[in-house]
Amino acid sequence: MAIRDIVKDGDPILRKTCRPVEVFDEKLAKLLDDMRETMRKAEGVGLAGPQVGILRRVAVVEVGDFYVELINPVIVETDGEQIGYEGCLSVEGKSCNVARPNYVKVRYFNRNGVQMQAECEELTARAICHETDHLDGILFYDKEYKGKIKKKR
Ligand code: CO
């Protein structure tokens, strides 16, 4: 495994649309291992292909004990809403509120090419939305929430 360099905002690669993964091979496994290690070292909760210079639809997400490798992910169902601060390993010194669904159902392939499905809520749902956005060249601050925030009582 190896730590990869994280691409920083301003690099046009972060604005490109990624192509699907078609080959599930050793190279993909190595990429995923490296992405997991790179995310952990940077203390992030997610990392997407373009952030390590790979324009393929791959991302890793880790929130607490939940770790998932998302290959060709598609969010097939959402519910509810959450508004909260978000940042990004590629965007230093910037965070803002973003509205995301509170629940997502995501279909994806694992590293062996087997189709999987996961249902996630709260921070994990937020991370999955953030990472799948990266695969379409979208950064979190594009979606800055500028409305009023209702305080929970
Ligand atoms: Co990000």
Side-chain angles (χ1 to χ4, degrees):
M1 283 190 278
I3 302 292
R4 302 208 183 189
D5 290 333
I6 296 177
V7 174
K8 298 298 177 190
D9 193 14
D11 190 318
I13 202 163
L14 292 176
R15 293 307 193 170
K16 298 216 157 88
T17 299
C18 296
R19 287 169 296 149
V21 169
E22 285 159 6
V23 182
F24 295 79
D25 60 1
E26 275 303 307
K27 199 177 161 199
L28 176 67
K30 168 97 173 77
L31 170 66
L32 291 162
D33 288 343
D34 288 356
M35 286 174 68
R36 179 177 55 200
E37 196 175 358
T38 303
M39 170 185 67
R40 286 180 175 166
K41 175 138 193 286
E43 297 180 358
V45 295
L47 192 68
Q51 295 182 277
V52 290
I54 305 292
L55 286 172
R56 290 286 182 175
R57 303 190 80 81
V58 292
V60 293
V61 166
E62 186 167 51
V63 176
D65 293 337
F66 179 81
Y67 172 70
V68 67
E69 295 169 346
L70 301 166
I71 301 163
N72 302 341
V74 180
I75 293 170
V76 293
E77 205 178 308
T78 65
D79 193 30
E81 187 185 54
Q82 56 172 322
I83 294 155
Y85 268 104
E86 226 166 273
C88 178
L89 295 176
S90 293
V91 185
E92 288 165 316
K94 198 176 199 170
S95 62
C96 66
N97 277 309
V98 182
R100 301 287 192 185
N102 196 54
Y103 161 93
V104 299
K105 184 191 282 184
V106 60
R107 283 203 188 119
Y108 61 98
F109 291 85
N110 70 13
R111 62 166 70 196
N112 301 315
V114 178
Q115 189 161 34
M116 311 284 286
Q117 184 173 289
E119 293 178 273
C120 300
E121 292 183 313
E122 300 184 356
L123 180 58
T124 315
R126 175 178 296 283
I128 287 170
C129 293
H130 178 116
E131 299 313 326
T132 52
D133 273 355
H134 269 299
L135 307 181
D136 293 315
I138 299 164
L139 295 176
F140 71 97
Y141 61 75
D142 300 343
K143 296 184 164 178
E144 181 173 5
Y145 178 82
K146 291 177 175 157
K148 280 193 180 151
I149 297 175
K150 284 182 213 143
K151 289 252 160 50
K152 276 184 190 164
R153 285 175 188 277

